[in-house]
């Protein structure tokens, strides 16, 4: 018997693809993109095409395990679920009794974005609030940009990415579309067929930049200055939309004064982009409606990241592009989707502290007695890798990891709980790069003794004798609660059809009824910003590396850690075929920087700074400008030469807003091995 089961990709990608699993005699035998889905259009990415193979990998964790060797050794013995739940419930009870619930850190990541099983739905939050555990601030991905956009627009939400098909000028700003969200490219191709001009702005000449009509090689961390310089040209051209500015914005005269401080000549010095290229793009921006800007998360991972998104969001306010389908900024669509996520605050008996995801190295101190990791691999994905490793070696720290594979983080666990993969459980998904809700039906039975996130917490609650009714809700009951905000999209409909577009206009133009700011207008100047200790008027905040003069740098090279084409964060980091295609850990270096250091193409080198070091194979390339090196993320440290990846050299610092991470704001040097 053969079945076709509709589902959705769970991974941390804006495209959230709709997929079809072919099941024969209870086994998943084929996976493809859903041809009927308007955004997926039948295609998956090079990574997810191997998902079924990955789910059957020889190193899949299939049973609960208990550590029998030293922390970090990865030595475990198999135990039963009853043993595992007894050990865990006894330790949690003891920790809460002796140290209080705040001694527990539930460290959840974006390994799955599901609203039932994953981070979007705060899976496990009810359980942790009943125990009084510390609150986990999942800030690793997009918080600086979210906060910057909120100051300007009142929300991180903006364009429907499908409307890029209607754009006449497209700015791909700090985004490698063909690697990280390639389904958008189909809509860009539609726009190009109608004469649109595509510009890539990126410190790396990516595969997306190769396909653009124009490429600007910007110096990392200077994007806000470029935005101001482009608007300076718009003013020179007299192309600001005065009617839109008067009717729909606040603080224009203050912001205009800021723009006038950044003529193209000054911006060229800051960004490293030739003045004539800045002028040319500024003129094109001034006279091309609609202009759509795609700006994604890599852009804001530095100390001025929030300010960068705040100013980029100002551009369509000056040009009036928010009037038009295909105009504006697309960063995330999540805030357009009215799911009712239960934060379970009512289950807390008293206020609790907040611990920050990207501050694990510093905050995993003696006050934390239990670290519970799920949907995350902090030893592969979080900043200051060496200090995290040392903190996780503490013998008094009880560490539980819910995982599918034996990651570096698993090696430090006391108890490992086997987790289902997407074909083995139900989930509800929203894309943060499109306007659809999707249902993921379980296609096959869980492998081995794997349990879903929700079932693990249900069983643990029963084992601990916790009687709060919401802890025992089924996945379908959780889904019904989430969908209370979308009465036109019922659970029955989703389960039958697999996906549904939000009940919005097509084409969708946001902010037609005003902006969700205190003034109801796009705010170039913000009292909320001033109250938070930020500049009242949107302005350029350089990254730490950009504001440090070369002569003052302890280490001379600016390092960025872009997404890999063959892994998604550290997901697929153990897949043999994708590892082969990645050609191992690499560091892209310009010839001008390689020659004086004696670096040889294809040979290993040591990349280092005060925080730590990692080994990567040198790729001498004109894809990076002199003074900039790029080390793609995603490799597992224990599968890498030297036992580390680029996060060993990433500082544990905050961006200007939202305590965002600074993965692209670190200085290093390189030496041959």
């Amino acid at each position: 018997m053969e079945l076709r089961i509709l589902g959705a990709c769970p991974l941390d990608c804006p495209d959230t693809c709709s997929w079809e699993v072919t099941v024969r005699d209870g086994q998943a035998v084929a996976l493809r993109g859903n041809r009927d889905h308007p955004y997926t259009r039948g295609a998956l990415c090079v990574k997810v095409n191997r998902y079924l193979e990955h789910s059957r990998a020889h190193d899949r964790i299939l049973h609960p395990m208990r550590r029998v060797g030293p922390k970090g050794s990865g030595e475990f013995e198999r135990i039963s679920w009853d043993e595992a739940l007894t050990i865990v419930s006894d330790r949690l009870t003891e920790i809460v009794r002796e140290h209080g619930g705040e001694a527990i850190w539930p460290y959840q990541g974006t390994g799955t974005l599901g609203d039932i099983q994953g981070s979007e739905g705060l899976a496990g939050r009810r359980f942790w609030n009943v125990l009084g555990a510390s609150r986990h601030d999942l800030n690793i991905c997009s918080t600086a940009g979210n906060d910057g956009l909120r100051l300007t627009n009142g929300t991180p939400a903006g364009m429907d990415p499908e409307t890029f098909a209607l754009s006449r000028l497209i700015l791909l700003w700090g985004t490698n579309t063909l690697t990280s969200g390639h389904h958008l490219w189909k809509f860009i191709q539609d726009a190009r067929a109608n004469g649109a001009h595509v510009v890539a702005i990126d410190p790396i000449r990516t595969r997306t930049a190769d396909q653009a009509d124009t490429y600007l090689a910007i110096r990392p961390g200077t994007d806000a200055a470029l935005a101001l310089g482009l608007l300076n040209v718009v003013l020179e051209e007299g192309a600001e939309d005065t009617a839109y500015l008067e009717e729909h914005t606040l603080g224009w005269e203050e912001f205009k004064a800021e723009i006038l401080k950044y003529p193209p000549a000054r911006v060229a010095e800051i960004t490293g982009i030739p003045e004539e290229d800045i002028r040319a793009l500024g003129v094109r921006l001034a006279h091309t409606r609609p202009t759509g800007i795609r700006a994604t998360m890599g852009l804001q991972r530095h100390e001025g990241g929030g300010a960068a998104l705040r100013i980029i969001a100002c551009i369509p306010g000056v040009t009036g592009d928010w009037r038009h389908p295909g105009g504006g900024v697309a960063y995330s669509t999540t805030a357009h989707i009215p799911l009712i996520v239960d934060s379970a605050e009512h289950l807390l008996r008293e206020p609790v502290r907040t611990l920050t995801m990207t501050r694990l190295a510093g905050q995993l101190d003696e006050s934390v007695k239990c670290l519970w990791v799920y949907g995350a691999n902090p030893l592969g994905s979080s900043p200051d890798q060496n200090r995290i490793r040392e903190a996780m070696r503490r013998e008094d720290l009880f560490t539980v990891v819910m995982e599918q594979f034996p990651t570096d983080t698993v090696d430090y666990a006391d108890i490992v709980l086997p987790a289902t993969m997407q074909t083995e459980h139900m989930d509800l998904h929203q894309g943060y790069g499109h306007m659809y809700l999707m249902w993921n039906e379980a296609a096959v039975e869980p492998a081995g003794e794997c349990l879903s996130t929700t079932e693990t917490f249900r069983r643990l609650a029963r084992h601990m004798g916790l009687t709060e009714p919401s802890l025992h809700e089924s996945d379908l009951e959780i889904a019904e609660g989430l969908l209370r905000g979308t009465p036109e999209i019922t659970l029955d409909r989703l389960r039958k059809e697999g996906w549904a577009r939000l009940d919005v206009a097509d084409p969708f133009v946001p902010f037609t009824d005003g902006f969700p700011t205190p003034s109801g207008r796009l705010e170039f100047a913000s009292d909320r910003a001033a109250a938070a200790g930020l500049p009242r008027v949107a302005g350029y905040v350089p990254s730490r590396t950009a504001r440090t003069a070369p002569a003052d740098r302890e280490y001379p090279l600016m390092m960025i850690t872009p997404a890999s084409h063959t892994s998604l964060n550290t997901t697929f980091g153990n897949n043999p075929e994708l590892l082969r295609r990645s050609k191992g850990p690499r560091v892209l270096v310009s010839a001008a920087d390689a020659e004086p250091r004696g670096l040889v193409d294809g040979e290993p080198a040591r990349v280092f700074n005060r925080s730590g070091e990692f080994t990567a194979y040198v790729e001498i390339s004109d894809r990076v400008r002199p003074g900039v090196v790029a080390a793609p993320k995603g490799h597992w440290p224990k599968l890498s030469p030297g036992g580390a990846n680029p996060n060993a050299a990433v500082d544990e610092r905050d961006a200007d807003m939202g305590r965002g991470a600074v993965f692209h704001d670190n200085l290093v040097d390189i030496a041959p091995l």
Side-chain angles (χ1 to χ4, degrees):
M1 181 178 179
E2 187 167 289
L3 299 173
R4 171 179 166 269
I5 308 296
L6 293 178
C9 178
L11 302 179
D12 187 4
C13 167
D15 291 4
T16 313
C17 292
S18 176
W19 72 27
E20 300 174 4
V21 183
T22 301
V23 178
R24 187 178 304 133
D25 298 327
Q27 299 296 313
V29 297
L31 175 71
R32 74 177 188 190
N34 185 352
R35 295 172 183 171
D36 297 329
H37 192 277
Y39 203 80
T40 303
R41 296 189 185 181
L44 300 176
C45 69
V46 67
K47 302 173 279 286
V48 175
N49 275 328
R50 310 194 78 86
Y51 195 85
L52 292 186
E53 165 198 308
H54 198 53
S55 71
R56 295 189 286 262
H58 70 91
D59 56 347
R60 177 88 186 268
I61 296 172
L62 299 175
H63 311 283
M65 299 187 296
R66 172 171 50 200
R67 179 172 61 87
V68 294
K71 289 198 172 189
S73 67
E75 297 175 10
F76 297 97
E77 66 177 3
R78 177 178 173 179
I79 58 176
S80 69
W81 265 106
D82 190 63
E83 288 177 284
L85 292 172
T86 298
I87 293 168
V88 168
S89 60
D90 287 350
R91 287 298 300 272
L92 290 178
T93 301
E94 176 188 354
I95 288 167
V96 171
R97 182 178 64 249
E98 295 185 3
H99 305 282
E102 286 181 309
I104 301 168
W105 187 346
Y107 194 95
Q108 183 179 23
T110 58
T112 172
L113 297 185
D115 281 278
I116 297 174
Q117 308 295 347
S119 57
E120 289 294 336
L122 306 176
R125 173 66 69 86
R126 293 168 173 174
F127 177 82
W128 299 121
N129 282 2
V130 167
L131 295 188
S134 292
R135 181 178 288 106
H136 174 64
D137 179 13
L138 205 163
N139 70 323
I140 200 166
C141 184
S142 56
T143 54
N146 286 342
D147 283 7
L149 287 159
R150 286 189 186 100
L151 290 177
T152 301
N153 293 339
T155 173
M159 291 175 64
D160 174 358
E162 291 185 48
T163 63
F164 276 102
L166 305 174
S167 303
R168 301 291 292 175
L169 173 62
I170 296 173
L171 306 186
L172 300 176
W173 204 322
T175 183
N176 184 5
T177 302
L178 288 174
T179 284
S180 302
H182 71 89
H183 294 81
L184 178 64
W185 195 254
K186 299 181 182 74
F187 300 95
I188 293 171
Q189 288 177 313
D190 292 343
R192 272 184 144 167
N194 292 316
H197 188 88
V198 178
V199 180
I201 303 168
D202 202 297
I204 310 171
R205 183 165 54 81
T206 62
R207 62 181 61 213
T208 302
D210 285 341
Q211 298 299 317
D213 299 301
T214 300
Y215 167 54
L216 301 183
I218 193 169
R219 185 173 289 128
T222 63
D223 305 275
L226 176 60
L228 289 165
L230 295 175
L231 288 174
N232 190 287
V233 177
V234 171
L235 294 184
E236 282 185 3
E237 294 288 304
E240 66 271 31
D241 188 328
T242 53
Y244 192 87
L245 288 166
E246 182 177 340
E247 295 169 13
H248 299 289
T249 72
L250 177 73
W252 167 237
E253 291 301 324
E254 295 170 83
F255 185 53
K256 181 178 178 180
E258 190 70 21
I259 293 170
L260 294 175
K261 298 175 185 176
Y262 289 87
R266 181 187 179 195
V267 173
E269 292 180 3
I270 294 170
T271 64
I273 299 171
E275 180 182 350
E276 58 269 27
D277 292 346
I278 296 169
R279 286 192 176 278
L281 180 55
V283 170
R284 190 180 290 275
L285 172 64
H287 300 292
T288 309
R289 306 276 74 75
T291 290
I293 302 172
R294 176 62 162 165
T296 52
M297 288 67 196
L299 174 61
Q300 45 91 65
R301 289 174 181 155
H302 62 80
E303 284 193 10
L309 266 297
R310 183 184 181 189
I311 288 186
I312 289 171
C314 292
I315 293 174
V318 177
T319 60
D321 273 299
W322 283 124
R323 295 180 186 274
H324 311 290
V329 177
Y331 180 72
S332 170
T333 57
T334 300
H336 287 314
I337 300 171
L339 295 180
I340 307 297
V341 176
D342 181 12
S343 63
E345 296 299 304
H346 66 287
L347 298 179
L348 285 169
R349 296 178 183 176
E350 57 190 12
V352 296
R353 66 178 177 175
T354 296
L355 298 172
T356 303
M357 187 171 191
T358 57
R359 287 285 183 162
L360 181 63
Q363 294 184 349
L364 189 57
D365 56 22
E366 298 293 330
S367 70
V368 178
K369 301 300 181 184
C370 173
L371 179 69
W372 189 294
V373 181
Y374 58 120
N377 180 18
L379 269 172
S381 296
S382 294
D384 214 342
Q385 190 173 94
N386 293 330
R387 288 177 62 213
I388 293 174
R389 195 185 307 275
E390 286 305 310
M392 291 189 71
R393 283 197 176 107
R394 277 175 36 210
E395 282 298 327
D396 69 321
L397 177 68
F398 180 57
T399 301
V400 179
V401 180
M402 298 163 63
E403 247 298 350
Q404 299 158 352
F405 293 99
T407 64
D408 290 80
T409 303
V410 164
D411 287 347
Y412 287 80
D414 295 290
I415 296 292
V416 181
L417 302 178
T420 48
M421 294 182 68
Q422 187 73 348
T423 50
E424 302 164 356
H425 57 232
M426 294 178 180
D427 213 341
L428 176 67
H429 285 269
Q430 52 182 299
Y432 64 89
H434 59 60
M435 306 289 282
Y436 299 88
L437 282 176
M438 283 173 291
W439 180 257
N440 184 79
E441 193 72 30
V444 295
E445 291 297 316
E449 296 182 273
C450 296
L451 295 181
S452 68
T453 301
T454 49
E455 181 60 20
T456 298
F457 284 119
R458 281 191 288 263
R459 291 194 186 188
L460 184 56
R462 286 197 298 270
H463 215 84
M464 295 182 70
L466 301 178
T467 58
E468 162 57 39
S470 64
L471 300 183
H472 306 282
E473 282 188 0
S474 69
D475 291 351
L476 293 177
E477 288 172 324
I478 294 170
E480 291 281 11
L482 288 161
L483 291 168
R484 282 181 291 124
T486 59
E488 72 284 358
I489 302 175
T490 65
L491 181 56
D492 284 345
R493 177 186 170 191
L494 276 180
R495 295 191 75 184
K496 289 174 183 175
E497 300 176 9
W499 56 271
R501 181 174 167 85
L502 296 181
D503 187 21
V504 295
D506 188 7
F508 172 67
V509 178
F511 313 130
T512 54
D513 296 323
F515 291 81
T517 59
S519 66
R521 295 168 172 251
L522 183 150
E523 296 190 352
F524 299 122
S526 168
D527 290 337
R528 291 173 296 144
L534 298 167
R536 170 178 156 76
V537 180
Y540 169 48
V541 177
S543 66
R544 178 176 291 192
T545 55
R547 71 172 181 263
T548 306
D552 297 331
R553 293 175 181 172
E554 183 177 4
Y555 301 95
L557 302 174
M558 306 168 79
M559 182 181 75
I560 55 179
T561 60
S564 165
H565 198 68
T566 56
S567 67
L568 205 161
N569 301 322
T570 61
T571 301
F572 303 110
N574 60 325
N575 182 277
E577 175 58 21
L578 293 174
L579 278 173
R580 184 190 68 79
R581 295 187 190 185
S582 77
K583 301 178 182 178
R586 295 174 299 125
V587 58
L588 277 66
V589 189
S590 71
D593 291 323
E595 184 177 355
R597 291 170 172 80
L599 301 176
V600 178
D601 192 72
E603 293 296 314
R606 171 178 167 253
V607 186
F608 62 94
N609 60 18
R610 191 177 293 274
S611 294
E613 64 179 71
F614 64 97
T615 299
Y617 297 100
V618 173
E619 183 175 327
I620 299 175
S621 175
D622 62 358
R623 292 187 175 276
V624 290
R625 60 186 301 140
V628 176
V629 298
K633 65 180 179 178
H635 286 277
W636 288 14
K638 69 180 182 179
L639 300 182
S640 303
N645 71 16
N647 287 328
V650 172
D651 291 345
E652 190 179 71
R653 286 185 281 116
D654 293 341
D656 54 336
M657 300 181 197
R659 302 203 73 178
V662 294
F663 291 109
H664 304 323
D665 193 7
N666 297 274
L667 294 170
V668 300
D669 207 346
I670 308 180
L673 285 175

